[in-house]
Amino acid sequence: MAEASRWHRGGTPQHKPHYGREVEIRTTLQELLLYLIFLVNLCILSFGMVNPHMYYLNKVMSSLFLDTSVGGDERTNFKSIRSITDFWKFMEGPLLEGLYWDSWYNSEKLYDLKNSSRIYYENILLGVPRVRQLKVRNNTCKVYSSFQSLMSECYDRYTSGNEDLSEFGLKQDTEWTYSAPRTNSPWHWGFVGVYQNGGYMFTLSKLKSETKTKFINLRLNSWITRGTRVIFIDFSLYNANVNLFCIIRLVAEFPATGGILTSWQFYSVKLLRYVSYYDYFIASCEITFCIFLIVFTTQEIKNISEFKYAYFKSIWNWLELLLLALCFVAVFLNSYCIIQVFLLLGKLLKNTEEYSDFYFLAYWHIYYNNIIAITIFFAWIKIFKFISFNKTMSQLSSTLSRCIKDIVGFAIMFFIIFFAYAQLGFLVFGSQVDDFSTFHNSIFAQFRIVLGDFNFAGIQQANRILGPIYFITFIFFVFFVLLNMFLAIINDTYSEVKADYSIGRRPDFELGKMIKESYHNVLEKLNLRKPQKDEDKKKKSGDLAEQARREGFDENEIQSAERMKKWKARLEKKYYSTEIQDDYQPVTQQEFRDGSTTRYKMRLSECLTKTQ
């Protein structure tokens, strides 16, 4: 039978194989060492993908396009846009000034490159920006009969079924005619809708004057109508100094209620993966990662075929399978991103007079980063698998396993009350307070209340009677009662487990103890340490008795303590047999009370055993 560490045994196998301690130590240490190498490789791989310049590039770009205000006495920037008039002021002001940098600060010519803009003098604008809008048709909703004489038109919220595909306005050029979406373009999830690609779009000119004239003509000819539901402003930059692409999307949503909601996305990604020597080192780490993945997958397949259903009884084996699945997804997304960059990058950079849609590449690159982040999170969690057999971790795992039923029962009661308060808050304060504007916002707001982050003034202003009642009763029942019940369950169970461990033997498979013994064995084999003799490890009972007498114990107490030691040995043999290490059965409180009659007997027994 193939050797395996104890963690692969999800329960007691039917054939109950016996693993020698030396084999178990060697196998477990090999598994730990192999996994540590894998973890270090994964950390290098993940942190090698992140460039600290990503944050600063996003910061300067967001400051330029979001915080820059309209010139003059106006204080309108993209974040403060609330009307169509504000939107056009932004388009003809901060956006126009931010996109076109064609001269140095002293009006000298910045560079000799055909009609290209370098934002902040370092970031070259790839292609030309694109502006597109999505509209809904008229009569997509129904006006109540009593108001039909006052209002005959009705424009519903945006859905793919309500989308307007017809020509409008001047009915010429792409900004007045509908362009079908591409199949591989991702949809955009906004505040009030999910928007597909396509729509009424146009690209900006290489010249600032032509672009400004374009904006003025669109404004005068009412390009934005009552049916407009969203406008996207997309463009991409590249900074050769740090080898980063910055894909920018500014979004202005026009909800059916009127007004404008603005949002934005700034994605700094490294699409050209292998440029410097360090990049090739990261590539070698990727190859090593794939080798580890193949080895771990082979091991798990062998363990499943050997232990069959017993394999799935261990939570660590489920974590292992989840980690392998995430690794395979990460490898797939990485390969997909590399292939798409190889196929599309040249085409996007070939024609500088058209819009270069790097959003698609950035979208999948961000997904790959997210998968890697989740993978490395569970990879670190798996470290607990190797330290779960020392005293502290064993007490923790025993506490959680013994109180899981109580926690589940408590969780049912807790979430019944919690969701009841969430629905109450949503219905009472939803139309007035932003934190309770939706049901899921109400849930998050209540978690924030538990942590001490709340807006009591807003709740009280929304409803002066129900607001304080809601807040006081929620704090009382959830914070003072339910959370303290949860802590009491954990604390009571931990006390029981600790009492069991005080009269029983520690787990004999402690990782630190195992490594220490292996280290001493190596030193003894190398003649760097003298073997410890058996007679030096044992103390005579007379010496122990003399030590107890010096501490003030009488003869009856010493005899009682020795009987306690024998009783503890029987308990250890019954409940901590090495033949059934996976079937841990803690000593019950009744057995503890029946066996320990007085505290001083326990204290004396611990004193006698400590000197062994």
Side-chain angles (χ1 to χ4, degrees):
M1 182 182 300
E3 298 176 0
S5 65
R6 63 167 53 226
W7 291 289
H8 285 134
R9 288 173 283 163
T12 304
Q14 295 180 356
H15 49 280
K16 294 184 179 180
H18 177 72
Y19 296 88
R21 185 168 181 80
E22 294 294 332
V23 175
E24 193 171 17
I25 291 175
R26 184 176 65 253
T27 305
T28 303
L29 288 179
Q30 289 176 354
E31 182 179 353
L32 175 59
L33 180 61
L34 185 64
Y35 184 75
L36 289 178
I37 297 175
F38 166 77
L39 186 59
V40 171
N41 179 81
L42 182 59
C43 290
I44 296 175
L45 177 62
S46 59
F47 288 110
M49 297 165 41
V50 180
N51 191 327
H53 296 289
M54 291 179 176
Y55 168 76
Y56 296 109
L57 183 57
N58 288 339
K59 182 179 176 62
V60 296
M61 290 301 133
S62 61
S63 175
L64 176 63
F65 292 103
L66 301 181
D67 299 329
T68 304
S69 301
V70 176
D73 296 333
E74 301 282 352
R75 301 304 301 170
T76 301
N77 55 31
F78 185 77
K79 293 180 179 179
S80 63
I81 291 176
R82 293 296 178 266
S83 65
I84 297 177
T85 303
D86 294 340
F87 180 80
W88 283 119
K89 288 180 180 180
F90 167 78
M91 296 287 284
E92 299 173 18
L95 178 65
L96 203 63
E97 297 297 329
L99 287 175
Y100 295 94
W101 296 57
D102 51 7
S103 62
W104 195 246
Y105 61 88
N106 56 0
S107 300
E108 292 183 1
K109 191 174 181 180
L110 183 61
Y111 45 81
D112 187 14
L113 191 62
K114 295 188 300 182
N115 296 329
S116 289
S117 174
R118 292 191 177 181
I119 300 175
Y120 279 123
Y121 312 117
E122 303 292 345
N123 305 278
I124 184 171
L125 182 64
L126 301 176
V128 292
R130 183 187 68 180
V131 181
R132 68 183 180 95
Q133 73 161 312
L134 296 176
K135 301 174 55 181
V136 295
R137 301 186 309 274
N138 186 16
N139 297 324
T140 50
C141 51
K142 185 177 180 180
V143 180
Y144 190 67
S145 58
S146 300
F147 291 91
Q148 289 180 356
S149 60
L150 301 176
M151 180 178 293
S152 60
E153 298 177 342
C154 187
Y155 296 88
D156 199 2
R157 62 186 179 89
Y158 176 84
T159 62
S160 57
N162 294 337
E163 188 174 4
D164 189 3
L165 309 179
S166 61
E167 298 177 346
F168 76 105
L170 300 180
K171 298 183 179 180
Q172 59 183 3
D173 296 328
T174 57
E175 59 263 32
W176 305 103
T177 57
Y178 183 82
S179 300
R182 295 189 304 173
T183 56
N184 62 343
S185 298
W187 289 30
H188 180 86
W189 188 3
F191 286 126
V192 293
V194 179
Y195 308 99
Q196 63 179 359
N197 209 338
Y200 304 88
M201 62 185 69
F202 64 93
T203 56
L204 305 186
S205 172
K206 286 284 187 177
L207 299 177
K208 180 179 179 180
S209 58
E210 293 182 0
T211 300
K212 187 172 184 178
T213 303
K214 184 81 168 180
F215 286 159
I216 294 174
N217 290 334
L218 292 174
R219 175 169 55 83
L220 294 177
N221 290 281
S222 300
W223 186 66
I224 301 177
T225 66
R226 287 188 57 195
T228 301
R229 287 294 172 260
V230 66
I231 295 179
F232 297 95
I233 305 171
D234 297 299
F235 53 96
S236 303
L237 312 172
Y238 175 69
N239 190 307
N241 300 332
V242 293
N243 189 26
L244 289 178
F245 290 81
C246 186
I247 291 83
I248 301 174
R249 167 169 287 184
L250 307 179
V251 184
E253 295 183 72
F254 298 73
T257 58
I260 298 178
L261 302 175
T262 57
S263 59
W264 48 87
Q265 292 177 341
F266 292 84
Y267 292 148
S268 291
V269 294
K270 188 177 181 179
L271 298 180
L272 300 177
R273 300 283 298 277
Y274 311 112
V275 178
S276 63
Y277 291 109
Y278 180 73
D279 295 334
Y280 288 108
F281 171 71
I282 296 298
S284 65
C285 292
E286 293 176 349
I287 297 174
T288 306
F289 175 83
C290 294
I291 296 174
F292 272 112
L293 183 58
I294 295 174
V295 172
F296 289 153
T297 303
T298 305
Q299 288 181 351
E300 295 308 312
I301 292 175
K302 291 174 59 178
N303 291 325
I304 292 175
S305 61
E306 179 179 358
F307 299 106
K308 295 182 171 47
Y309 294 107
Y311 175 89
F312 299 98
K313 294 181 180 180
S314 174
I315 187 63
W316 297 116
N317 294 335
W318 283 102
L319 178 61
E320 189 79 38
L321 296 178
L322 175 61
L323 192 58
L324 289 177
L326 290 173
C327 290
F328 276 109
V329 173
V331 170
F332 170 77
L333 287 179
N334 185 37
S335 304
Y336 181 77
C337 291
I338 292 176
I339 294 174
Q340 291 299 322
V341 169
F342 177 78
L343 296 177
L344 299 178
L345 189 59
K347 296 180 181 179
L348 294 174
L349 298 176
K350 186 175 182 181
N351 194 345
T352 60
E353 299 294 331
E354 296 180 357
Y355 167 70
S356 300
D357 189 5
F358 284 88
Y359 185 81
F360 171 75
L361 299 178
Y363 177 84
W364 286 107
H365 200 276
I366 293 299
Y367 264 89
Y368 169 65
N369 288 352
N370 295 339
I371 291 296
I372 284 293
I374 298 173
T375 302
I376 198 170
F377 169 79
F378 284 107
W380 278 105
I381 294 298
K382 189 183 171 183
I383 290 292
F384 287 103
K385 166 182 176 180
F386 298 99
I387 63 176
S388 60
F389 286 92
N390 59 35
K391 179 183 178 182
T392 303
M393 294 304 301
S394 181
Q395 288 182 357
L396 176 61
S397 60
S398 299
T399 300
L400 296 179
S401 62
R402 292 178 65 174
C403 69
I404 186 65
K405 293 182 179 179
D406 294 333
I407 291 179
V408 171
F410 165 80
I412 294 174
M413 178 178 59
F414 175 83
F415 283 109
I416 288 176
I417 298 177
F418 192 84
F419 286 132
Y421 271 100
Q423 191 166 8
L424 173 63
F426 169 61
L427 295 176
V428 175
F429 316 117
S431 61
Q432 304 291 329
V433 184
D434 180 63
D435 292 340
F436 295 88
S437 58
T438 61
F439 182 69
H440 65 271
N441 281 351
S442 300
I443 295 175
F444 291 128
Q446 291 187 161
F447 279 116
R448 291 168 55 191
I449 290 175
V450 173
L451 296 176
D453 180 16
F454 54 86
N455 181 17
F456 177 74
I459 296 175
Q460 187 180 29
Q461 185 177 0
N463 195 311
R464 294 186 178 276
I465 298 177
L466 292 180
I469 294 176
Y470 162 84
F471 182 78
I472 293 174
T473 55
F474 178 80
I475 290 295
F476 177 77
F477 285 110
V478 175
F479 187 79
F480 289 108
V481 178
L482 293 180
L483 289 184
N484 283 283
M485 285 179 59
F486 174 75
L487 295 177
I489 292 173
I490 299 291
N491 186 51
D492 184 62
T493 308
Y494 179 74
S495 299
E496 293 180 2
V497 171
K498 199 170 183 179
D500 293 341
Y501 273 73
S502 66
I503 61 173
R505 189 181 63 183
R506 297 181 182 182
D508 52 29
F509 192 84
E510 295 189 23
L511 186 61
K513 182 179 178 181
M514 181 181 66
I515 296 176
K516 184 178 180 181
E517 290 179 356
S518 302
Y519 173 72
H520 288 166
N521 291 336
V522 171
L523 293 181
E524 291 176 1
K525 291 180 180 180
L526 296 176
N527 295 326
L528 299 177
R529 182 176 184 269
K530 294 182 179 180
Q532 188 175 3
K533 298 180 180 180
D534 294 338
E535 55 268 17
D536 295 336
K537 299 179 182 179
K538 297 182 180 179
K539 301 292 182 180
K540 295 182 180 181
S541 58
D543 296 337
L544 298 177
E546 289 296 332
Q547 181 181 356
R549 293 187 184 95
R550 287 195 300 268
E551 294 187 7
F553 294 94
D554 57 25
E555 294 297 331
N556 294 331
E557 291 173 339
I558 295 175
Q559 294 177 3
S560 299
E562 291 181 351
R563 289 195 298 270
M564 175 66 69
K565 287 177 57 179
K566 296 179 180 180
W567 172 74
K568 285 177 59 180
R570 291 196 299 269
L571 283 180
E572 290 177 359
K573 183 177 180 180
K574 179 180 179 181
Y575 292 100
Y576 296 94
S577 174
T578 56
E579 299 296 329
I580 51 172
Q581 293 174 353
D582 292 310
D583 297 333
Y584 167 68
Q585 298 179 358
V587 181
T588 63
Q589 290 292 302
Q590 184 62 35
E591 291 175 323
F592 174 69
R593 286 191 291 267
D594 293 342
S596 57
T597 56
T598 58
R599 289 187 178 181
Y600 69 85
K601 293 180 182 179
M602 290 292 300
R603 183 163 59 89
L604 178 60
S605 178
E606 291 293 335
C607 177
L608 295 177
T609 56
K610 187 182 300 183
T611 56
Q612 288 184 343

